[in-house]
């Protein structure tokens, strides 16, 4: 079953996960509107990639892609985007993927800085484009989808909604994305519109390469720094675990494969309101990443061992062995 005849919007698709989702949706036959601020690549951009490059790649794969310059911090730009889609597609919108996020650079530069030493405006920097705009886009999409009694809205979120990751505004924002999906799903259910939150695993995006993988390679080439004491070794070990996670992580298109599978699922309403993990969707829908690898998700014992650097031990662990959900809930539970 293809997505021919379906209309999708993917926000923040110049690069990274948004680009990967757009590529897979286009390849599956959907007409894909993509948004972002970088229409053409230019010197000084935070990372490679542009809307036009994404659109050209979709077209090369036989899909149809319409790039739309949109600053998601401006409500007027979002209004114009949905008005255009409604006008050009006769009110049809089948899939919205809320992925736009403008704070990756800022978050990486603020690593290790406690919230009280950051300006209060850092909250807006992290959660304006990445939370507020997701809500506005969802309102606009729901207005179209409820009229047709059909549709799928996806918030791209992360495990930061469950446990501390990066900083306070990031975690609160991701938790809010998950709660948005759950609460919007309650009101949308009778209109047969599904709303879910998607947690990718560690993903090898262009910015991850810049901030994590390239520095890791540089340190390896420079060699070890000798015995720096217990604290330094502990910090180094933690950094190594994170680096292994990303080095063995998903490509940007694996999330796209998951989105396509969800869009094709005739029983998608059974998942509405839930947090969905890409690794577990991969197992459910028998998905393989574009590099041929399987991803087993954060509950997989085998995957956790691999990401922690215990690759030899992981070879002896069966793929089906997973940490039960109630254990995860108990470990991270707050009540």
């Amino acid at each position: 079953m293809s997505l021919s005849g379906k209309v999708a919007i993917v926000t923040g698709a110049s690069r990274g996960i948004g680009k990967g989702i757009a590529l897979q949706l286009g390849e599956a036959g959907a007409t894909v509107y993509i948004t972002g601020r970088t229409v053409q690549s230019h010197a000084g951009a935070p990372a490679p990639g542009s809307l036009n490059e994404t659109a050209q790649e979709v077209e090369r794969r036989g899909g149809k892609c319409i790039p739309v310059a949109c600053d998601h911090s401006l409500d007027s730009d979002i209004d114009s985007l949905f008005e255009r889609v409604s006008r050009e597609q006769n009110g049809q919108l089948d899939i919205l993927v809320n992925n736009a996020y403008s704070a990756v650079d800022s978050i990486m530069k603020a690593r290790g800085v406690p919230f009280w030493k950051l300006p209060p405006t850092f909250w807006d920097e992290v959660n304006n484009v990445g939370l507020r705009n997701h809500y506005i886009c969802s309102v606009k999409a729901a207005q179209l989808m409820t009229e047709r009694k059909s549709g799928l809205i996806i918030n791209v979120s992360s495990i930061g909604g469950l446990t501390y990751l990066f900083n306070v505004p990031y975690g609160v924002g991701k938790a809010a994305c998950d709660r948005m999906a759950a609460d919007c799903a309650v009101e949308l259910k009778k209109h047969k519109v599904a709303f879910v939150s998607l947690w990718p695993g560690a993903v090898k995006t262009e910015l991850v390469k810049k901030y994590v993988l390239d520095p890791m390679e540089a340190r390896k080439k420079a060699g070890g720094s000798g015995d720096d004491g217990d604290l330094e070794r502990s910090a180094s070990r933690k950094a190594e675990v994170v680096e292994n996670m990303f080095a063995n992580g998903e490509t940007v298109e694996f999330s796209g494969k998951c989105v396509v599978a969800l869009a094709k699922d005739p029983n998608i309403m059974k998942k509405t309101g839930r947090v969905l993990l890409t690794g577990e969707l991969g197992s459910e829908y028998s998905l393989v990443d574009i590099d041929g690898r399987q991803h087993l998700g954060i509950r997989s014992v085998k995957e956790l061992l691999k990401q922690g650097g215990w690759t030899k031990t992981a070879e002896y662990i069966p793929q089906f062995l997973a940490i039960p959900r109630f254990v995860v809930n108990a470990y991270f539970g707050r009540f």
Side-chain angles (χ1 to χ4, degrees), residues 265-296:
D265 190 339
N267 298 311
I268 185 61
M269 292 307 298
K270 292 182 178 179
K271 289 183 168 63
T272 193
R274 289 172 51 191
V275 170
L276 305 174
L277 283 63
T278 53
E280 295 186 0
L281 291 174
S283 298
E284 178 181 351
Y285 294 115
S286 300
L287 305 176
V288 178
D289 208 339
I290 59 170
D291 57 9
R293 291 178 302 135
Q294 288 181 302
H295 301 291
L296 304 176

Side-chain angles (χ1 to χ4, degrees), residues 91-113:
Q92 179 183 350
L93 176 63
D94 302 287
I95 304 158
L96 167 67
V97 181
N98 286 316
N99 172 74
Y101 198 74
S102 63
V104 175
D105 265 321
S106 299
I107 285 172
M108 291 300 171
K109 290 173 183 175
R111 281 183 296 180
V113 182

Side-chain angles (χ1 to χ4, degrees), residues 16 39 47 50 107 113 133 141 143 149 156-158 173 209 252 297 306:
V39 179
S50 68
I107 285 172
V113 182
N133 75 292
Q143 290 169 354
K149 302 294 182 184
V156 176
S157 184
S158 85
K209 184 176 185 298
V252 295
K306 284 167 58 179

Side-chain angles (χ1 to χ4, degrees), residues 125-324:
E125 194 172 347
V126 171
N127 287 320
N128 189 5
V129 177
L131 176 59
R132 182 181 185 276
N133 75 292
H134 287 5
Y135 179 74
I136 296 171
C137 288
S138 299
V139 168
K140 296 292 182 182
Q143 290 169 354
L144 298 175
M145 292 175 175
T146 53
E147 286 294 315
R148 297 171 58 86
K149 302 294 182 184
S150 175
L152 171 62
I153 302 174
I154 299 174
N155 278 352
V156 176
S157 184
S158 85
I159 195 174
L162 180 65
T163 187
Y164 182 87
L165 185 63
F166 299 129
N167 56 53
V168 173
Y170 177 86
V172 175
K174 293 307 181 184
C177 283
D178 298 341
R179 186 58 185 261
M180 186 194 308
D183 286 2
C184 289
V186 172
E187 298 186 2
L188 289 170
K189 191 170 185 177
K190 64 182 178 182
H191 300 283
K192 301 189 185 304
V193 176
F195 200 140
V196 301
S197 194
L198 182 69
W199 287 7
V203 183
K204 294 186 284 188
T205 67
E206 297 90 342
L207 288 172
V208 164
K209 184 176 185 298
K210 173 182 176 181
Y211 286 113
V212 179
L213 300 181
D214 287 348
M216 176 180 71
E217 286 301 315
R219 283 196 301 275
K220 284 182 179 178
K221 289 179 180 177
S225 55
D227 187 355
D228 297 317
D230 292 340
L231 288 175
E232 286 79 3
R233 284 197 299 273
S234 176
S236 176
R237 175 58 182 162
K238 289 178 181 177
E240 184 182 342
V241 169
V242 172
E243 289 164 353
N244 281 331
M245 286 174 60
F246 283 107
N248 296 307
E250 303 167 5
T251 73
V252 295
E253 292 192 49
F254 189 66
S255 290
K257 284 177 172 277
C258 293
V259 169
V260 169
L262 291 170
K264 290 180 177 181
D265 190 339
N267 298 311
I268 185 61
M269 292 307 298
K270 292 182 178 179
K271 289 183 168 63
T272 193
R274 289 172 51 191
V275 170
L276 305 174
L277 283 63
T278 53
E280 295 186 0
L281 291 174
S283 298
E284 178 181 351
Y285 294 115
S286 300
L287 305 176
V288 178
D289 208 339
I290 59 170
D291 57 9
R293 291 178 302 135
Q294 288 181 302
H295 301 291
L296 304 176
I298 61 170
R299 293 195 305 117
S300 165
V301 174
K302 188 181 189 77
E303 192 77 2
L304 289 171
L305 287 169
K306 284 167 58 179
Q307 291 180 354
W310 298 84
T311 52
K312 290 293 184 183
T313 305
E315 292 176 2
Y316 299 98
I317 303 298
Q319 290 189 2
F320 64 81
L321 190 61
I323 300 171

Side-chain angles (χ1 to χ4, degrees), residues 13-24:
S14 299
R15 60 183 68 88
I17 293 173
K19 179 178 181 178
I21 293 172
L23 292 176
Q24 286 295 317

